[in-house]
Amino acid sequence: MGTIHDGFTASNRIRQEGMDALKDVLEALQDDFKYAHPSFSPKKLETTHFITWVIIPKEVAPNGRTLPARLLLMTSYTGSKREHLRELAEVGLSGLHEVYKHCEEYHYSEKPSVENMLNFLRKSSIKNTFYTGFQYVTKDLVYKQNQLRYAIQEYLDSDVFRAGLEGLTPGQVRKRIQDHVRTIPDLSWALKPYKRSFGDFLNLYGALIFWLFILGGSLVLGILYPFFHHPLMLVGLIIFCAFIGLIGILLVLLRMDENIPYEPLEEVSDERIYDITSREIHPVKNEMSVISPLKRGFIRRFFLAFTLRIVPIVRAFSYIPTVHTARWLQTDGGRRLVFIAYYDNTSEGYAHDFVDSTKRTRNLNLIFGHASGFPATKWAVGGGGKDRKGYITGVRTHQKITGFWYSTFPELSVLNLENNKAIHKGLFGNLDEKEIKQWLLRL
């Protein structure tokens, strides 16, 4: 199985007469986070890290267009999308049927076959831009790495380990830990050095390598064209100029849309904020759904779509220390922006993570700058989130109450996951004396 973390999203219209029944179904599946409902047991899904179902209500966009009520299913998984969807259809068939019989595109009055459900999920699939705070780990490996850390810490606290500890070098201490791990059959998997496959590397960096080759190559050919006038070099010059020209045209058109008078949002009531924050009851990890129609302006949905296609290329270099997963996508012909995230701590602190540095504020503006009520931007990256009060008001106004969400490891933060992976990697990895000292500090 591959170990690259990715996201699947399905979007469907909700039958108006089935709205209340759908809310009841999602509430029953949530079951106070016990996940014990007989028709849907996400704990049995081996490829899945997170699952969210959220209802988007019917609303009128700033341009006057009515946007329909929708149900979004969002999962985060490792491995292939094909295997993930098949497992979802097989394990969750009854629950999926109970949920989707309230949607317009679903035409089965009785529980369908696995193949029919699989086809339905595929047809409902829409593109999303996915971010994760961790890679190269499956659901099973998350648990194993946590088990390894507990076993080592238990050994370090024991009298057996402390006996004769004085005078040992860091390397000798690590050797004693290695010898102890070798005696535990359940940890035999940890004896093999940690490594990632070339396929996983290519999955994560392949798009970046491809575009660097295309754009870098076309730039080099374009520079050489005046000297050699070869047709291939002319093609390279055209490709590079077309890419730069497209970005320039989009920016100019967006600047015209940015000049449309800004329409600020009203202050969010204390009752609304309490309704949101009172659901953040988990000590480590919580979930946020922020969904908004776009601001007025013809080019916004196209500029946003272009941005969301570029972002995944550099996903391997993005890191926010409190974010497990996040995704951005557009629905209704690009006229709605959807943002879903699993994060550590509470939404107030998490929301501020995006504007605690100039770089993150610019990145935030590129996407959220198009959301209705978000503070006005300038040339896509200026302004916007620098108005912290306006930004937080926009987040709270458009934050939705999620109908159902599930996490496979609710007690582990992003830093816990990274630390566990580093312990596993360094246990039998090739480390020098300095690196061994750093590794021991993680225990």
Side-chain angles (χ1 to χ4, degrees):
M1 177 190 289
T3 59
I4 297 302
H5 201 177
D6 215 335
F8 165 76
T9 299
S11 174
N12 299 94
R13 290 189 180 217
I14 301 171
R15 296 191 181 98
Q16 198 57 42
E17 68 276 10
M19 179 68 76
D20 291 338
L22 176 57
K23 291 179 180 178
D24 291 340
V25 170
L26 294 179
E27 183 177 348
L29 292 179
Q30 188 76 77
D31 192 26
D32 294 327
F33 298 97
K34 296 175 184 175
Y35 306 107
H37 198 279
S39 68
F40 190 72
S41 180
K43 294 179 180 180
K44 297 179 181 179
L45 298 169
E46 295 300 323
T47 63
T48 304
H49 293 277
F50 304 99
I51 303 176
T52 291
W53 263 303
V54 63
I55 293 173
I56 313 177
K58 181 179 179 181
E59 58 188 331
V60 178
N63 64 3
R65 181 185 289 266
T66 299
L67 304 177
R70 286 193 174 276
L71 175 68
L72 294 181
L73 165 66
M74 285 155 286
T75 67
S76 305
Y77 63 93
T78 45
S80 74
K81 180 179 177 181
R82 177 180 58 81
E83 292 172 351
H84 170 63
L85 291 184
R86 176 163 293 280
E87 181 186 48
L88 191 62
E90 290 176 348
V91 175
L93 183 60
S94 297
L96 292 171
H97 173 67
E98 291 301 312
V99 169
Y100 283 110
K101 67 183 182 182
H102 304 292
C103 294
E104 291 182 5
E105 299 91 342
Y106 191 78
H107 305 298
Y108 302 102
S109 56
E110 302 294 332
K111 185 170 69 174
S113 66
V114 169
E115 290 301 323
N116 285 339
M117 181 60 73
L118 191 56
N119 289 333
F120 170 76
L121 292 174
R122 287 170 178 160
K123 290 178 181 178
S124 302
S125 175
I126 60 174
K127 279 195 170 292
N128 59 204
T129 295
F130 183 80
Y131 163 84
T132 179
F134 54 96
Q135 289 288 10
Y136 305 115
V137 64
T138 63
K139 173 183 173 181
D140 181 56
L141 191 55
V142 167
Y143 287 117
K144 285 182 175 179
Q145 289 177 341
N146 201 45
Q147 177 192 29
L148 174 65
R149 177 177 62 85
Y150 271 116
I152 293 175
Q153 289 180 337
E154 187 178 58
Y155 174 59
L156 297 182
D157 291 335
S158 69
D159 293 335
V160 174
F161 172 75
R162 292 174 181 174
L165 184 62
E166 187 176 351
L168 294 182
T169 66
Q172 290 171 328
V173 173
R174 178 174 176 245
K175 177 65 165 53
R176 289 183 65 175
I177 294 172
Q178 291 173 333
D179 291 341
H180 174 70
V181 169
R182 289 189 178 98
T183 67
I184 304 175
D186 287 347
L187 298 181
S188 60
W189 58 270
L191 303 184
K192 297 178 63 175
Y194 178 91
K195 62 172 62 178
R196 62 190 183 190
S197 70
F198 178 73
D200 284 341
F201 173 84
L202 201 60
N203 188 331
L204 192 58
Y205 294 97
L208 176 62
I209 294 171
F210 173 80
W211 283 109
L212 284 177
F213 176 79
I214 294 295
L215 295 178
S218 63
L219 175 60
V220 171
L221 292 174
I223 292 173
L224 294 175
Y225 177 70
F227 302 99
F228 298 100
H229 296 286
H230 191 279
L232 180 62
M233 296 175 184
L234 177 61
V235 171
L237 179 63
I238 292 172
I239 291 175
F240 187 78
C241 290
F243 181 77
I244 298 301
L246 174 62
I247 294 177
I249 291 171
L250 286 174
L251 280 172
V252 170
L253 293 175
L254 177 64
R255 185 68 192 128
M256 295 171 63
D257 280 354
E258 289 176 331
N259 287 325
I260 296 174
Y262 168 56
E263 301 171 3
L265 299 168
E266 295 182 2
E267 288 284 340
V268 183
S269 68
D270 291 341
E271 290 77 11
R272 173 63 177 170
I273 293 177
Y274 176 78
D275 192 28
I276 293 171
T277 57
S278 63
R279 298 167 189 265
E280 297 168 3
I281 59 176
H282 298 274
V284 176
K285 189 190 298 106
N286 287 289
E287 189 269 358
M288 171 186 280
S289 303
V290 179
I291 302 170
S292 168
L294 300 191
K295 293 175 180 175
R296 287 185 294 144
F298 167 75
I299 203 63
R300 286 195 179 277
R301 57 189 175 125
F302 301 105
F303 189 95
L304 178 58
F306 179 80
T307 302
L308 293 182
R309 297 299 177 270
I310 295 296
V311 170
I313 296 175
V314 295
R315 62 177 174 164
F317 302 100
S318 302
Y319 182 69
I320 302 175
T322 57
V323 182
H324 290 260
T325 69
R327 81 185 70 203
W328 300 261
L329 58 111
Q330 293 171 266
T331 64
D332 301 291
R335 296 177 178 87
R336 256 182 182 143
L337 170 63
V338 177
F339 170 70
I340 305 291
Y342 284 82
Y343 59 92
D344 293 330
N345 300 319
T346 62
S347 59
E348 185 71 21
Y350 167 64
H352 281 287
D353 281 341
F354 283 92
V355 289
D356 65 0
S357 72
T358 301
K359 179 181 178 181
R360 286 180 187 168
T361 301
R362 288 198 301 263
N363 295 341
L364 175 84
N365 289 343
L366 272 172
I367 298 177
F368 281 98
H370 305 285
S372 173
F374 187 86
T377 57
K378 187 174 182 179
W379 293 108
V381 296
K386 291 181 178 179
D387 176 3
R388 285 183 173 241
K389 182 178 179 181
Y391 158 65
I392 291 297
T393 298
V395 170
R396 291 306 192 195
T397 298
H398 296 301
Q399 193 170 348
K400 303 296 187 282
I401 303 299
T402 305
F404 173 95
W405 69 273
Y406 166 77
S407 167
T408 55
F409 33 90
E411 76 287 357
L412 297 177
S413 68
V414 174
L415 293 179
N416 291 150
L417 292 166
E418 288 298 317
N419 190 60
N420 289 350
K421 184 166 71 173
I423 291 172
H424 175 202
K425 185 176 182 180
L427 179 60
F428 288 99
N430 295 320
L431 305 181
D432 59 30
E433 195 72 10
K434 182 180 179 180
E435 290 172 331
I436 290 174
K437 290 179 180 179
Q438 293 299 317
W439 180 81
L440 290 172
L441 290 174
R442 292 181 175 275
L443 300 173

